[in-house]
Amino acid sequence: EAAVTQSPRNKVAVTGGKVTLSCNQTNNHNNMYWYRQDTGHGLRLIHYSYGAGSTEKGDIPDGYKASRPSQENFSLILELATPSQTSVYFCASGDARTANSDYTFGSGTRLLVI
Amino acid sequence: GDSVTQTEGLVTLTEGLPVMLNCTYQTIYSNPFLFWYVQHLNESPRLLLKSFTDNKRTEHQGFHATLHKSSSSFHLQKSSAQLSDSALYYCALMGYKLTFGTGTSLLVDP
């Protein structure tokens, strides 16, 4: 079965520190996405990718970078973490625009920035 | 840019009553895909149903929705709510990227 794996599951970071969230998918999907989930805001798109080597800014990219070194891996990088980036982060992968489109989510990463 | 609007933040129902969660969208893409995702407590969102065909009813697990491009709507319905339906429901749009609404929490009481 297709799988999206995120690591770490939980992370505590210090303000000003660097944080890297990792996502691996075994679906051979072209598209990968990073979202953050906050009460009252739903799932907000941070960065996404159409394939290896590509990254695109989503709706709330400020303070975040992304890296897609391969088809399988998509990382979210917080160079200088701030408390406002405390959230639950979800990675998703999917095929674009096919009848079988199904965007599969990872289990999420809970990030606390203190 | 693309946007999805879910007007209800919280819907509270008594078990057995019908469910309707609203979803409207905006996109310049002519053939959008629309999705409903469900997220139970402490879980990740999972696909409930999807559609890309205008005016065609899509059903899954007792829920159904019809994509109406004329009104840019994709409302989620169920004839009889169950306690296990209590969850967070997201409407999502795939135009040029996958965009989610703010979600509707459904709470079903006995």
Side-chain angles (χ1 to χ4, degrees):
Chain A
E1 183 176 313
V4 179
T5 304
Q6 292 184 231
S7 62
R9 289 296 305 273
N10 297 281
K11 174 73 177 179
V12 179
V14 177
T15 298
K18 182 177 181 178
V19 177
T20 300
L21 307 183
S22 299
C23 179
N24 175 274
Q25 55 109 351
T26 59
N27 311 324
N28 198 32
H29 286 155
N30 290 325
N31 292 1
M32 296 186 75
Y33 295 82
W34 276 107
Y35 296 89
R36 62 177 286 175
Q37 182 176 40
D38 305 282
T39 303
H41 293 280
L43 289 162
R44 291 183 290 174
L45 181 61
I46 306 170
H47 285 287
Y48 60 105
S49 170
Y50 293 125
S54 96
T55 60
E56 305 288 338
K57 292 182 179 179
D59 299 319
I60 54 163
D62 293 346
Y64 302 93
K65 292 183 179 179
S67 174
R68 182 89 181 267
S70 65
Q71 181 82 340
E72 297 79 19
N73 295 295
F74 189 39
S75 298
L76 185 68
I77 303 149
L78 291 67
E79 295 278 5
L80 295 170
T82 69
S84 64
Q85 293 175 313
T86 292
S87 187
V88 179
Y89 292 84
F90 284 102
C91 175
S93 77
D95 274 330
R97 321 213 54 74
T98 69
N100 294 322
S101 293
D102 179 1
Y103 289 82
T104 307
F105 282 80
S107 299
T109 295
R110 291 185 179 273
L111 174 65
L112 172 64
V113 183
I114 57 175
Chain B
D2 293 351
S3 66
V4 176
T5 301
Q6 294 181 250
T7 53
E8 308 103 348
L10 173 65
V11 172
T12 303
L13 290 172
T14 300
E15 188 179 18
L17 291 181
V19 178
M20 181 164 175
L21 306 183
N22 292 314
C23 173
T24 57
Y25 64 91
Q26 285 188 313
T27 182
I28 62 172
Y29 198 87
S30 58
N31 292 301
F33 281 51
L34 272 293
F35 304 85
W36 276 101
Y37 277 79
V38 58
Q39 184 180 21
H40 288 94
L41 193 62
N42 296 322
E43 296 182 1
S44 55
R46 63 174 176 82
L47 181 67
L48 180 59
L49 48 79
K50 62 187 178 186
S51 179
F52 55 93
T53 305
D54 199 10
N55 297 317
K56 180 180 178 181
R57 175 170 161 146
T58 300
E59 299 189 38
H60 187 61
Q61 296 183 338
F63 288 90
H64 63 91
T66 302
L67 175 59
H68 292 294
K69 293 185 179 180
S70 61
S71 58
S72 298
S73 67
F74 191 56
H75 306 317
L76 183 67
Q77 296 179 266
K78 187 177 185 183
S79 60
S80 176
Q82 299 177 294
L83 296 177
S84 59
D85 293 331
S86 295
L88 179 58
Y89 291 81
Y90 284 107
C91 183
L93 161 71
M94 179 65 191
Y96 294 99
K97 54 182 169 57
L98 187 60
T99 301
F100 285 81
T102 52
T104 298
S105 291
L106 176 64
L107 180 60
V108 181
D109 294 326

